[in-house]
Amino acid sequence: MKRSLLLLPLLLLLLTACSSDDYETGDSAYSYLKAELVEAYTDSYGNIVRVGFDDDGQMMLSQAVATNWASTADSVYRALLYFNQYPTPPMNQQLVPVSIGRVPVLFPKEAADFEGGMKTDPLGFQSAWLGTNKKYLNLGLILKSGVPDDKDAVQGVGVEKVSETSQMTILRLYHDQGGVPEYYSSRVFVSIPVKSVLTSDSVTILINTYKGVVERKYKIK
């Protein structure tokens, strides 16, 4: 699951459908649709069978889910899960998956470790929040893309550890537009592990956006 730099193709598709049905009004399956960032656990066959929430709760899926990105047996992945959770038995003890997509986990690293140096090309910022268990700092970002002349052009997203003391760690979002045109907008989520990798009581994240630098602070211990 460890990953400190995310290379983004022209269009990042975060959701892999488990099933597809026409929308129905009234008390249909979609009446109970929810979405959560989770830790997805695979079984010995490399299928996702269980998820862990950011409040440390865990639940089994009503059916095993096979994906092309979570194929390693007995592993844990960060994911965005859309699911139905029905209010009555027998389904209230299990989640019924609708779609699930991988969420990149960005591990903080030093600026010198980024190939080509630290880059802070602007991007769109939607949201930032710390999970209830304070394990991950989650970001909702808007990346702009298009069809470049260079077919090998990709965007890069990562996290720099600017400084760290016992009181505060300062992180800065790395973003390399990578020569990709900025015609279309795509919403993506990334998660930064903080509780397990940072020694500070608090964390600050700096994000360079089209409207200037956004700063968010959170207490993690």
Side-chain angles (χ1 to χ4, degrees):
M1 187 178 71
K2 290 185 177 180
R3 189 166 185 170
S4 56
L5 178 64
L6 166 67
L7 296 180
L8 297 164
L10 300 182
L11 182 61
L12 181 64
L13 299 180
L14 286 179
L15 300 180
T16 302
C18 304
S19 63
S20 178
D21 300 291
D22 293 334
Y23 178 78
E24 300 176 4
T25 59
D27 192 24
S28 67
Y30 291 96
S31 300
Y32 307 103
L33 187 64
K34 300 179 180 180
E36 294 278 354
L37 292 184
V38 299
E39 289 187 322
Y41 294 82
T42 59
D43 60 11
S44 57
Y45 299 99
N47 298 322
I48 299 173
V49 295
R50 176 168 54 95
V51 296
F53 296 95
D54 283 356
D55 62 0
D56 287 330
Q58 295 193 8
M59 292 194 73
M60 299 295 296
L61 299 182
S62 63
Q63 65 189 72
V65 178
T67 72
N68 59 3
W69 51 266
S71 57
T72 303
D74 302 315
S75 298
V76 185
Y77 297 84
R78 189 69 168 159
L80 173 63
L81 174 68
Y82 284 85
F83 63 94
N84 287 318
Q85 185 174 6
Y86 297 98
T88 57
M91 302 305 295
N92 60 340
Q93 297 303 312
Q94 292 183 323
L95 301 184
V96 180
V98 175
S99 64
I100 188 167
R102 188 170 189 175
V103 171
V105 176
L106 307 180
F107 283 78
K109 61 182 184 179
E110 304 298 325
D113 294 331
F114 288 97
E115 185 176 354
M118 180 64 187
K119 296 182 179 180
T120 56
D121 293 337
L123 43 62
F125 170 77
Q126 266 198 334
S127 57
W129 71 97
L130 192 65
T132 305
N133 57 9
K134 301 184 179 181
K135 189 172 184 178
Y136 293 102
L137 173 58
N138 306 294
L139 303 178
L141 306 172
I142 301 296
L143 301 181
K144 293 190 175 181
S145 63
V147 180
D149 295 331
D150 182 0
K151 294 183 179 180
D152 295 326
V154 292
Q155 294 189 62
V157 178
V159 176
E160 176 201 3
K161 184 190 292 184
V162 178
S163 63
E164 187 173 29
T165 66
S166 60
Q167 288 79 34
M168 177 68 72
T169 296
I170 298 178
L171 303 176
R172 180 164 51 191
L173 191 69
Y174 169 97
H175 176 226
D176 180 9
Q177 188 66 30
V180 176
E182 302 177 55
Y183 300 144
Y184 312 106
S185 296
S186 300
R187 185 184 185 187
V188 300
F189 294 98
V190 298
S191 291
I192 305 168
V194 289
K195 192 173 183 179
S196 62
V197 301
L198 303 182
T199 60
S200 303
D201 294 333
S202 301
V203 61
T204 295
I205 179 77
L206 304 174
I207 305 167
N208 188 33
T209 76
Y210 294 104
K211 297 180 180 181
V213 176
V214 171
E215 178 180 310
R216 293 290 186 272
K217 297 181 181 179
Y218 301 92
K219 188 171 181 61
I220 56 178
K221 292 181 182 178

